[in-house]
Amino acid sequence: MVLKTANEFTGGADSELYAALAAGACVITANNRLAHHLHLGYARHLRATGRRVWETPDILPWSAFVQRSAEAARAHAGGRSPLTAAQEQWLWSELVTEYDPGFLCQDRAFAAQAAEAWQLLADYALPLPEAGGDRESEIFVALARAFMRRLAALGRDDAAHDPTRVAEAIGAGRIAISAQVLWAGFERLTPAQEAVKRACAARGAHVSVLPLPNWGGEGDARIFATATEELTAALLWARERIAREGHGRYALVVADLAAERRRVVRLAHEILASHPGAETVPYEISLGTALGEAPVVAAALRVWQLAGGMLAAGEAAALIQSPFLHEAKAERSARARCAYEMLMGTSEVDVTALARALRGGAPSAHAGFARLAGIVRRWPRRASASAWAGLLMGALSAVGWPGAAAREDYQAIAAVHDVLESFATLEAVAGGMSYARALGFVQGALGDRVFQPRGGDAPLQILGPLEAIGLTFDGLWVMNLHDRAWPAVRPPHPLLPLAFQRAHRLPHAFVEDDIRFAGRVLEDLVGAAPETILSSARHDASGALRPSRALIARGAVDGQAPAFVSRFGQAFAARAALEDYPVRAAPLDDARTGPFAAGLLAAQAACPFRAMAQYRLRADALDAPGYGLTPAVRGAVAHKVMEIWFGELPEPRAWLALDTDARARRIAETVAAAQATAADDYARFPAAFVVLEARRMERLLAQFLEREEARPAFRVVEREKEVALRCGPLAMRGRIDRVDVVDGRTVLIDYKTGRMPAVDWMTDRPEYPQLLFYAVAEGPQVAGIAYAGLSARDGGYKAWTRDDALLPEATVVADWGQVTGAWPALLARLAGDFAAGGGAVDPLNGACEYCGREGFCRIDEGGGGGDDE
Ligand code: SF4
């Protein structure tokens, strides 16, 4: 009998495969996706023939086949069941931790790689490599031997991951097999799979590897100017085909889907899911995100982290506002207020403090976290895995997790239960463990598991190349075929000796093998649909791309950029022409001429609209919640430190006279005195935080003094000096941080605790003109102006001086008199523009970054489709 392909089956053709399945054939698929689609196709076929009930067909992916066979062999021979995947994972991580605590300790990635290498040996029916490889290989061999010893000590085996053992069991008749065994979707079989296939045939089964589909096309090759154009074209193509035919199965295969998933999802949602004027096209995208990133799972993880000790304020704020807690909706406002206060007031909390913070306005949340605090107090120091699994579940119940979760969250919730159940099975291989160890494992398992909501049978599938092998479609577009993504060449396995991998021709041992494999995969994809398009772009957001040779060989033509305007672009184009209103306020009346703070000049220079918003409309940005002290408080304390220090010790020789201990003491006293001026701000934090902050300031001051000592001799003659000046129509005032005298000449210094501004004092719109204001106010004796950095990242000076040797690395301005002589007019013009009501949205480069008024000035509003090139 000649069987039709699995693809014809999924396409709905009346194939002998249906009969084979109905007669009890076993179909082993290359991956879960193909198994799922075969199940759906079979069900569709039977429903079409009027059947309402039927036996579940024996279709399963290869890994499940091996697991099932290993269980069957054990049941036949008696004995204990093979290790589960979670148990194996635990053993590997235990062994890695025990092997060399100083080198690899707790390295989950290494344990995962070791398990992967172990599986690779099993799939290729290979023994452990001989010693003599590199250090990593030797460690792996030692770990693998320890793994085998541990299995023997436990009286267990890992047959569930060793297909060769399954082949032996089949050959020995310890496993019943179907009369017909079909392999679907395999581009090639591994040696262990070949062994299983041979064993089935030797037992008299009819064994076939279903041929991959081949519609006989060549593939239409296109190259687009940009990656966005390419993706837009592919999505519009799918939308148009599906809308035109009203049914069908289409696929978008993305060569590097893992890297591109976010971008693809964003544009797919824009084009397929909710574009006005067109019907929604259902689609499914593979390669889900880590289970730990699903919001309902993230909430559970935060509950468990909180149960274990302290939780960062940001995480705690996210937790109490989570919709996955009891009564989340009813107490939404109160919880949000509590989250804001917590963020502004502390850096981390424990469960008792959190419960206390919620007591006022959120009684349900308060009760939940108080319950959790009570439970946690009774937790044992060590417990078995199954006991911890129960306690972890109890912690979630205490706070009412998962609350009123939506239906689409239930697959993720079920996955959490599944991970906890797997964790509980560790009881058989692990002794008592601490909560930290238990949580670490569960957290890792949730992070490792890819969450892929089980799909139906959407007309558009977005897949990676290997996932599409074995499926058939009405149309297929393979994209991102450029030099950075295709052919996908991966490095050899890091834990197996390269010579060993090459001797056995393991995957990725030779680059040319990867290239040949990629070529075959592309041919398979081209054959998977009657209409196939292959494409690349010449540029993406990171730069130029070279289209793959496969496209060139197919005579690729330039792709036409599709006409597509995003929803935002459409809405923007249809908006009222608000931009036509001039941004101009009435001139200030004569009564309102100041005094204004000199910061007005900086705002006017940075962006006239900002100056108008800030100084006339009082439109200030909201405080952004964040950890710890606000930048404003930190800056004020740092200024205070300088003021106190240089008030008491105005020149280097004064502090150089102190011995090391006395100087350290003096620095600490200075910082403590400065912190005392902000006592209310510090009072909200634990003592440890205040101490840490003090140590940081002490380090900064010590470093600053070191730099000061390298300067030519100077003396600080003024600190926080008030100055006043009339600029054009306005009276203005300011405060000079420090005035130094160097060799009889005056230098004005302005401290900067954040980013150091550019020294651009010769432009029409200097970024920070306060120093010019101070210089003009102080008069012609000023011989230098400087920023002094007070941050760990930006220390040192940025200065202009009339003469050299006043400050290190200062720029000496040869025509000082002429340059400074222009500053009064510059300041008068800035003040005059402000007074006249000019308020254009015209920011300097980078000015918007720290402004916070973008929602008011609407600088970000623009059309377009979100092009990322
Ligand atoms: S966000 Fe930018 S454009 Fe808007 S007011 Fe601030 S600086 Fe001006």
Side-chain angles (χ1 to χ4, degrees):
M1 176 170 58
V2 178
L3 285 165
K4 299 221 170 131
T5 68
N7 317 291
E8 287 170 292
F9 175 72
T10 56
D14 184 10
S15 161
E16 290 88 344
L17 192 54
Y18 298 129
L21 278 170
C26 170
V27 177
I28 303 170
T29 64
N31 55 47
N32 290 337
R33 178 173 292 275
L34 181 55
H36 180 59
H37 280 276
L38 288 176
H39 274 286
L40 287 176
Y42 186 59
R44 233 186 352 252
H45 162 71
L46 292 181
R47 271 198 300 271
T49 59
R51 297 274 296 276
R52 290 292 167 263
V53 287
W54 55 86
E55 276 187 35
T56 305
D58 191 15
I59 304 167
L60 73 177
W62 163 248
S63 55
F65 173 80
V66 175
Q67 173 95 32
R68 182 178 79 178
S69 303
E71 280 287 350
R74 180 205 58 85
H76 182 272
R80 303 178 66 184
S81 35
L83 288 185
T84 64
Q87 289 169 337
E88 278 205 26
Q89 197 185 349
W90 172 270
L91 284 187
W92 281 111
S93 67
E94 283 281 286
L95 291 170
V96 168
T97 305
E98 287 165 17
Y99 178 79
D100 186 356
F103 170 51
L104 299 167
C105 185
Q106 286 113 30
D107 191 335
R108 285 178 46 78
F110 197 95
Q113 283 180 336
E116 189 183 270
W118 184 245
Q119 184 68 59
L120 196 56
L121 294 179
D123 288 343
Y124 280 75
L126 293 172
L128 271 179
E130 296 295 325
D134 51 25
R135 171 103 173 107
E136 282 75 18
S137 313
E138 284 175 6
I139 293 171
F140 168 66
V141 170
L143 288 172
R145 292 201 171 115
F147 184 72
M148 289 190 281
R149 282 196 299 275
R150 188 66 63 90
L151 288 182
L154 291 166
R156 306 289 293 272
D157 67 40
D158 69 337
H161 294 100
D162 189 348
T164 308
R165 305 263 299 279
V166 168
E168 285 166 12
I170 292 171
R174 295 200 298 273
I175 302 174
I177 56 162
S178 307
Q180 202 169 9
V181 181
L182 308 173
W183 299 68
F186 289 86
E187 213 290 325
R188 64 184 171 194
L189 296 184
T190 64
Q193 287 167 338
E194 289 286 3
V196 169
K197 186 167 128 272
R198 278 197 305 274
C200 291
R203 287 275 306 281
H206 182 96
V207 180
S208 308
V209 178
L210 297 176
L212 294 170
N214 191 352
W215 290 85
E218 283 294 308
D220 173 12
R222 299 176 193 174
I223 300 176
F224 292 84
T226 70
T228 299
E229 284 183 11
E230 181 193 13
L231 179 55
T232 304
L235 290 165
L236 287 172
W237 166 84
R239 192 180 81 179
E240 187 271 325
R241 291 291 191 283
I242 293 166
R244 192 177 63 194
E245 292 166 22
H247 62 87
R249 279 167 47 81
Y250 288 82
L252 188 55
V253 173
V254 185
D256 49 351
L257 183 58
E260 289 285 284
R261 192 177 192 279
R262 199 178 289 265
R263 188 173 76 93
V264 172
V265 167
R266 201 181 68 224
L267 206 53
H269 180 74
E270 178 70 49
I271 293 178
L272 303 173
S274 54
H275 195 62
E279 274 195 23
T280 293
V281 174
Y283 70 97
E284 289 166 8
I285 182 163
S286 71
L287 288 184
T289 48
L291 180 57
E293 289 175 25
V296 66
V297 182
L301 283 169
R302 289 185 179 115
V303 172
W304 291 334
Q305 284 158 3
L306 182 69
M310 304 299 285
L311 191 62
E315 293 289 305
L319 173 58
I320 61 178
Q321 295 181 92
S322 164
F324 304 110
L325 303 184
H326 186 51
E327 296 289 2
K329 201 168 171 190
E331 295 183 352
R332 191 167 47 195
S333 305
R335 293 183 192 188
R337 210 167 29 248
C338 174
Y340 177 80
E341 280 161 13
M342 193 165 54
L343 280 171
M344 299 307 285
T346 188
S347 54
E348 52 181 15
V349 289
D350 64 14
V351 61
T352 309
L354 189 60
R356 205 181 311 122
L358 288 159
R359 191 164 42 200
S364 176
H366 164 71
F369 284 100
R371 242 184 337 265
L372 179 62
I375 288 176
V376 168
R377 269 197 291 276
R378 295 193 298 276
W379 274 2
R381 296 179 75 79
R382 294 178 76 76
S384 66
S386 64
W388 279 128
L391 293 170
L392 286 167
M393 217 42 243
L396 296 182
S397 304
V399 293
W401 184 91
R407 201 160 57 87
E408 56 267 27
D409 295 314
Y410 273 86
Q411 283 181 43
I413 294 167
V416 171
H417 287 281
D418 189 40
V419 164
L420 285 180
E421 274 168 28
S422 301
F423 174 65
T425 68
L426 297 188
E427 180 107 335
V429 295
M433 63 185 83
S434 65
Y435 178 64
R437 186 86 175 97
L439 180 56
F441 188 86
V442 171
Q443 223 167 350
L446 290 169
D448 290 345
R449 188 180 284 209
V450 172
F451 178 55
Q452 179 70 61
R454 182 174 289 278
D457 199 15
L460 176 63
Q461 302 286 321
I462 302 177
L463 307 165
L466 296 182
E467 296 168 296
I469 299 292
L471 298 173
T472 191
F473 303 96
D474 296 309
L476 177 80
W477 187 312
V478 189
M479 59 177 294
N480 282 16
L481 295 172
H482 53 71
D483 56 333
R484 276 193 240 140
W486 196 263
V489 175
R490 280 177 50 194
H493 199 284
L495 299 191
L496 294 171
L498 181 58
F500 176 87
Q501 296 188 57
R502 290 196 162 160
H504 298 286
R505 252 198 142 96
L506 295 186
H508 316 302
F510 294 95
V511 171
E512 57 266 32
D513 283 1
D514 277 3
I515 293 173
R516 263 198 295 274
F517 179 69
R520 287 202 305 274
V521 168
L522 198 57
E523 291 303 326
D524 294 340
L525 292 174
V526 167
E531 180 188 12
T532 317
I533 298 171
L534 311 178
S535 71
S536 170
R538 290 202 171 86
H539 282 89
D540 71 2
S542 58
L545 302 169
R546 272 192 310 176
S548 133
R549 281 195 208 162
L551 293 181
I552 310 294
R554 284 179 164 81
V557 297
D558 281 349
Q560 289 302 310
F564 173 73
V565 182
S566 70
R567 276 174 300 140
F568 182 76
Q570 288 184 358
F572 191 78
R575 78 200 189 287
L578 296 178
E579 308 308 313
D580 291 347
Y581 290 98
V583 185
R584 186 152 205 100
L588 284 177
D589 59 41
D590 291 345
R592 291 184 61 207
T593 55
F596 287 93
L600 180 154
L601 299 171
Q604 182 72 21
C607 171
F609 187 89
R610 180 200 290 188
M612 185 178 73
Q614 184 176 356
Y615 289 93
R616 293 185 68 170
L617 306 177
R618 303 289 166 209
D620 290 326
L622 293 174
D623 280 343
Y627 301 128
L629 294 170
T630 62
V633 174
R634 284 185 171 207
V637 174
H639 276 68
K640 203 60 168 172
V641 166
M642 296 295 154
E643 186 187 350
I644 296 171
W645 182 271
F646 289 106
E648 296 170 357
L649 304 161
E651 50 193 334
R653 65 181 172 186
W655 69 79
L656 286 171
L658 303 172
D659 65 30
T660 312
D661 288 347
R663 184 161 155 186
R665 236 183 354 263
R666 195 68 179 261
I667 288 176
E669 287 164 4
T670 303
V671 170
Q675 284 188 320
T677 63
D680 286 351
D681 293 299
Y682 282 101
R684 294 176 300 161
F685 296 97
F689 173 81
V690 181
V691 171
L692 275 179
E693 199 46 32
R695 296 293 99 82
R696 187 184 70 81
M697 281 307 311
E698 288 164 18
R699 265 197 315 278
L700 275 180
L701 176 56
Q703 286 161 2
F704 188 80
L705 295 178
E706 263 178 46
R707 288 193 294 270
E708 292 292 79
E709 289 156 20
R711 284 178 52 190
F714 68 90
R715 183 176 179 79
V716 178
V717 294
E718 300 261 17
R719 296 155 298 121
E720 303 295 325
K721 183 182 182 190
E722 303 269 1
V723 288
L725 180 71
R726 184 152 201 96
C727 297
L730 302 182
M732 311 211 66
R733 58 180 161 70
R735 182 178 292 175
I736 308 172
D737 287 339
R738 195 169 117 185
V739 181
D740 286 9
V741 172
V742 187
D743 194 19
R745 289 163 292 178
T746 299
V747 176
L748 309 182
I749 292 172
D750 200 62
Y751 297 127
K752 288 282 163 235
T753 47
R755 179 185 68 89
M756 290 272 255
V759 177
D760 60 350
W761 295 313
M762 271 211 260
T763 71
D764 281 354
R765 292 171 63 185
E767 188 186 349
Y768 189 77
Q770 283 97 320
L771 266 172
L772 312 191
F773 174 85
Y774 303 146
V776 175
E778 285 295 272
Q781 81 271 20
V782 173
I785 55 175
Y787 299 128
L790 291 187
S791 71
R793 196 182 48 186
D794 264 338
Y797 282 100
K798 276 186 176 179
W800 276 13
T801 58
R802 188 178 58 201
D803 318 294
D804 55 0
L806 289 182
L807 283 164
E809 296 179 32
T811 301
V812 178
V813 180
D815 43 0
W816 178 260
Q818 194 182 339
V819 169
T820 56
W823 290 347
L826 169 72
L827 301 175
R829 183 179 51 73
L830 288 172
D833 288 348
F834 173 81
V841 178
D842 181 18
L844 287 179
N845 254 349
C848 303
E849 202 176 332
Y850 302 102
C851 176
R853 294 175 184 81
E854 53 275 21
F856 187 29
C857 68
R858 304 171 61 197
I859 180 77
D860 290 331
E861 289 191 5
D867 198 310
D868 58 359
E869 269 74 47

